[in-house]
Amino acid sequence: MIDIFKNFVNAISSPVVIFSAATAVFALFVTFPRQATSKPVSLAVLIGALAFFGLGLTDKHFRSIVFMPDNVPIVGLIFIFGYFTWYAMRKAVINDMRVERGEPTVEQTETNEKVLVFPYLIFIEFVTALAYAVILVLWSIFLKAPLEEPANPTVSPNPSKAPWYFLGLQEMLVYFDPWIAGVLLPTLIILGLCAIPYIDRDPSGSGYYSFKGRKAVIVTYLFGFWILWTLLVIMGTFLRGPNWNFFGPFEAWDAHKVVPLLNVNLSELIFIKWLGIGLPKQWFIREAPGILLTALYLAVPPLILARTKLKEVYKKLGPARYQIMVFLLLMMLSLPIKMYLRWAFNLKYIVAIPEFFFNI
Amino acid sequence: MSDKPKFDLGKIITESQIYKSMFRHGYSTSERDRALSVMTNVFFHLHPVKVRKSGARFGFTWCAGGLSFFVFLTLVVSGILLMFYYRPTVEHAYNDIMALREHVPFGIMRELHRWGAHAMIITVWLHMFRVFMTGSYKPPREFNWVIGVILLVLTMLLSFTGYLLPWDQLAMWAITVGSNMARATPFLGHEGPGAALLALGDIQLVHSGSDVRFALLGGRFVGAGALLRFYILHCVAIPTAVVILMSVHFWRIRKDGGISGPL
Ligand code: HEM
């Protein structure tokens, strides 16, 4: 029985299935937040997650990965963030309903009341710190910090993984070259985070939980955090084995698994497969379609959106802020786009100029 | 029975000269006294005397920012203790960690430090998540959000630089994988786009012995130079930056009008 379950999970597990399923669940969550955070649904999800985890623990391979000392925090992270995402959304839904009925939000009823920091706030801080201290000590007693063989530059483990909080970036290396996955995207994530308050400036949504009035912003953030970051961390940690091959959660890591590499560049698709004339010699002719496509991707959507769907946003933000916002969003979306292009067409690079280490 | 004065240890302590010299204020419960106990204590004084009720609720902040700070403090303490035992050289590093594990009975200092580091990443992400969900980054708090983002990056860099110090296979290869990305930095890494353009005639300016990865590692691969650099970054440089930025962060919270509340 359990074996059927495990084999089934392994069989359907692949990056495209997991990514698409997670995105679908995410879409349901933000489309129906009221139902999704209701008691029966959230209980069902919690029980489902615990059941999956519990069943998984009967599997030796799953257990060995989940309980690898440095992986334990990720398991904690999934449950902690799952809980707090639910919690924040629940509060937002309740506030939205109150506003609909013309009542003040929960925070509004208390905002003009002041309490003394001592003892009120100090007490909360003290209890939180104490609870954390207890958890940390227990964690430290029951789980020893890992120490492997002494460092040896001549023996590289397979797979070699970065610390877990960077595994989202390492997972992106499957789809992008290091200069994008390791340098450009992290830089844009940092700059993009910094840019948030300069783009979303309306202070009326500040200081209380809400969803309706800030839907686009919150959905973007949650999508970035959960799907583009955390999901990739999970895949990179739990589901990537030797040679960075993909393995199901209950599939033993086989170092000899052979995965055929069939990836092709856009230029090869166009000039060899579709036109049948062979690759042009000069790189700028060879890569012209890819460069054109990339330029169009970055230039056309902002122009069209400013006149259609985002007309109001454009008016509110002005050209500079608007352009920065759309650019950041497009860069964010380029990750799933590239992922799906890979899965659908085995596309390797849209622009490939190895002459300059410039591959997109 | 009732006319006999009760022996009250609490009172004896709180009314002693020693206690009063430390805390300035007796533990009494009038509003004024409670206000004074905040104002006359340098640590409590990070807070204002009074705060919005909505903002002081655990359900609002999840105490995630405060907890990040507390976790940081525990890391400083356990980290200092670890420094007593650890020498950042290729001969000693691994053996020192090994000795720590074998010769200290019930030693959990390394665990406290390592799991605390993981926990801090989680609490900082959680704090950012809370600030986002309550829209607390909006004006006038936009710059404090930016400082927060820098703190977030520094927190992850602290963890990353610390990861190398045990000098075992896990450490060395995780850092190798991580720092390999720096090779591909545009213009500044020797395998980055554009780096080949930076040349004087036939002389390449950016090569594996002069790019950003070399600067980070103090060598072409993760070796003795990298260990020393990461040690100093981890124990001195980044913590200093974090402490300075945290001070600004806390100060700004108050200057921006305290924990955010609805208009
Ligand atoms: C080392 C990490 C950090 C520490 C120790 C820290 C500490 C704190 C504390 C104690 C507060 C008071 C309210 C609360 O506890 O939630 C706070 C508020 C705030 N933090 Fe942080 N923080 C850190 C990182 C961040 C990050 C990563 C961000 C965002 C990117 C951020 C943005 C803010 C903002 C905007 C406020 C004001 C919130 C409000 O008024 O409601 N902080 N921080």
Side-chain angles (χ1 to χ4, degrees):
Chain A
M1 184 53 204
I2 284 184
D3 281 337
I4 298 177
F5 165 75
K6 287 200 274 196
N7 289 338
F8 174 71
V9 172
N10 282 342
I12 62 164
S13 289
S14 72
V16 57
V17 170
I18 292 180
F19 190 88
S20 308
T23 308
V25 171
F26 175 77
L28 280 178
F29 180 74
V30 293
T31 317
F32 306 105
R34 190 179 301 186
Q35 291 81 348
T37 55
S38 67
K39 279 227 175 76
V41 177
S42 22
L43 262 181
V45 171
L46 177 67
I47 292 173
L50 287 176
F52 181 85
F53 192 67
L55 272 180
L57 287 184
T58 61
D59 185 79
K60 216 173 109 218
H61 169 76
F62 186 85
R63 218 170 35 228
S64 73
I65 292 188
V66 168
F67 285 145
M68 209 187 280
D70 277 335
N71 288 351
V72 168
I74 313 178
V75 180
L77 176 114
I78 296 170
F79 282 97
I80 293 173
F81 270 87
Y83 174 77
F84 277 105
T85 304
W86 171 83
Y87 184 78
M89 204 53 136
R90 179 96 200 118
K91 291 195 114 175
V93 166
I94 290 173
N95 272 342
D96 287 346
M97 289 198 287
R98 290 174 71 114
V99 171
E100 244 168 68
R101 289 196 301 263
E103 294 168 20
T105 59
V106 175
E107 287 85 353
Q108 239 150 16
T109 59
E110 293 184 336
T111 193
N112 292 324
E113 202 179 327
K114 293 249 177 170
V115 294
L116 280 164
V117 160
F118 182 86
Y120 190 84
L121 184 57
I122 304 273
F123 176 74
I124 294 176
E125 289 172 350
F126 181 72
V127 172
T128 313
L130 201 64
Y132 168 74
V134 171
I135 292 171
L136 181 68
V137 169
L138 289 178
W139 184 2
S140 299
I141 289 175
F142 289 111
L143 192 67
K144 269 207 111 33
L147 189 64
E148 298 186 351
E149 299 292 301
N152 183 348
T154 56
V155 181
S156 73
N158 187 8
S160 288
K161 293 191 179 184
W164 62 266
Y165 36 85
F166 286 141
L167 278 189
L169 300 176
Q170 204 177 345
E171 175 67 16
M172 288 176 204
L173 280 176
V174 175
Y175 308 98
F176 283 115
D177 265 16
W179 77 273
I180 297 185
V183 185
L184 185 68
L185 289 179
T187 309
L188 286 176
I189 293 172
I190 296 169
L191 292 180
L193 282 173
C194 289
I196 290 174
Y198 300 93
I199 291 169
D200 177 26
R201 288 173 302 159
D202 181 7
S204 68
S206 172
Y208 62 98
Y209 290 91
S210 67
F211 181 62
K212 247 197 183 142
R214 303 175 55 217
K215 208 167 192 166
V217 188
I218 291 182
V219 169
T220 310
Y221 184 87
L222 287 181
F223 181 73
F225 178 77
W226 269 110
I227 306 291
L228 297 185
W229 184 261
T230 307
L231 184 68
L232 293 192
V233 170
I234 294 171
M235 285 216 248
T237 317
F238 297 140
L239 306 177
R240 291 289 182 181
N243 307 322
W244 211 254
N245 283 328
F246 184 90
F247 292 87
F250 310 116
E251 191 180 346
W253 286 1
D254 172 9
H256 304 292
K257 178 170 175 171
V258 180
V259 180
L261 279 179
L262 307 163
N263 297 337
V264 289
N265 295 333
L266 182 66
S267 54
E268 292 163 341
L269 273 182
I270 290 182
F271 289 106
I272 300 178
K273 201 154 166 216
W274 295 340
L275 297 180
I277 54 173
L279 283 183
K281 287 242 160 29
Q282 286 98 346
W283 63 264
F284 48 87
I285 304 179
R286 186 187 71 217
E287 300 307 329
I291 295 174
L292 189 71
L293 211 63
T294 313
L296 289 179
Y297 173 70
L298 290 176
V300 173
L303 288 177
I304 295 181
L305 287 173
R307 290 193 174 74
T308 54
K309 207 148 185 282
L310 296 183
K311 206 167 173 179
E312 290 306 307
V313 178
Y314 179 77
K315 243 195 244 149
K316 209 161 97 186
L317 292 183
R321 281 193 172 84
Y322 170 82
Q323 183 52 47
I324 291 173
M325 178 190 79
V326 179
F327 173 74
L328 288 170
L329 289 176
L330 285 172
M331 291 308 284
M332 184 171 165
L333 277 184
S334 70
L335 176 61
I337 289 175
K338 184 82 192 277
M339 292 165 90
Y340 276 106
L341 285 176
R342 171 69 55 82
W343 296 325
F345 305 109
N346 286 320
L347 185 75
K348 188 161 187 212
Y349 294 125
I350 295 167
V351 177
I353 317 178
E355 290 89 334
F356 301 121
F357 296 119
F358 185 89
N359 304 314
I360 300 178
Chain B
M1 170 104 208
S2 58
D3 49 306
K4 226 177 129 196
K6 259 203 343 222
F7 177 74
D8 186 344
L9 183 64
K11 210 164 172 186
I12 294 176
I13 292 177
T14 54
E15 286 185 357
S16 71
Q17 188 186 357
I18 296 178
Y19 182 91
K20 280 187 173 167
S21 72
M22 278 195 261
F23 293 99
R24 297 243 164 253
H25 243 268
Y27 184 88
S28 55
T29 45
S30 77
E31 181 130 321
R32 178 172 174 277
D33 275 301
R34 288 180 155 178
L36 280 172
S37 56
V38 170
M39 289 200 295
T40 57
N41 180 310
V42 66
F43 302 109
F44 289 0
H45 195 235
L46 286 175
H47 302 94
V49 168
K50 283 186 167 188
V51 289
R52 277 193 196 93
K53 189 163 183 190
S54 60
R57 288 233 181 254
F58 182 83
F60 186 78
T61 62
W62 315 341
C63 221
L67 189 56
S68 304
F69 183 48
F70 179 71
V71 175
F72 179 74
L73 293 181
T74 64
L75 286 168
V76 170
V77 173
S78 53
I80 288 175
L81 289 170
L82 287 174
M83 283 173 81
F84 289 140
Y85 291 91
Y86 177 86
R87 288 163 288 180
T89 61
V90 173
E91 304 93 78
H92 294 301
Y94 182 81
N95 292 334
D96 285 349
I97 300 283
M98 199 58 150
L100 195 67
R101 154 188 276 221
E102 303 207 322
H103 302 327
V104 185
F106 299 112
I108 54 167
M109 210 39 72
R110 188 169 162 238
E111 278 73 17
L112 291 181
H113 196 71
R114 194 181 185 98
W115 305 145
H118 287 316
M120 184 163 168
I121 298 222
I122 294 178
T123 59
V124 172
W125 287 5
L126 198 63
H127 171 55
M128 177 166 88
F129 182 58
R130 185 292 286 183
V131 171
F132 187 87
M133 292 305 281
T134 56
S136 304
Y137 53 82
K138 299 181 175 210
R141 295 180 179 79
E142 63 267 56
F143 190 62
N144 218 12
W145 168 271
V146 173
I147 292 174
V149 174
I150 303 173
L151 278 170
L152 168 86
V153 175
L154 289 180
T155 305
M156 292 173 67
L157 287 181
L158 264 180
S159 237
F160 183 68
T161 49
Y163 214 82
L164 181 65
L165 303 183
W167 204 244
D168 61 349
Q169 282 289 70
L170 194 63
M172 163 175 256
W173 289 98
I175 303 310
T176 303
V177 169
S179 62
N180 271 349
M181 305 226 192
R183 272 209 283 247
T185 313
F187 297 108
L188 300 178
H190 74 278
E191 286 176 7
L197 301 176
L198 298 179
L200 286 177
D202 280 345
I203 305 164
Q204 280 296 325
L205 293 182
V206 179
H207 52 81
S208 65
S210 72
D211 65 351
V212 279
R213 182 166 184 272
F214 190 91
L216 180 69
L217 297 182
R220 283 193 171 82
F221 51 87
V222 179
L227 185 56
L228 186 62
R229 281 189 191 198
F230 274 48
Y231 177 75
I232 292 171
L233 285 172
H234 184 75
C235 301
V236 184
I238 305 178
T240 309
V242 166
V243 167
I244 294 172
L245 283 168
M246 277 188 188
S247 322
V248 180
H249 195 59
F250 298 159
W251 181 76
R252 285 294 300 232
I253 294 171
R254 296 191 52 181
K255 296 295 151 187
D256 294 340
I259 309 272
S260 56
L263 290 178

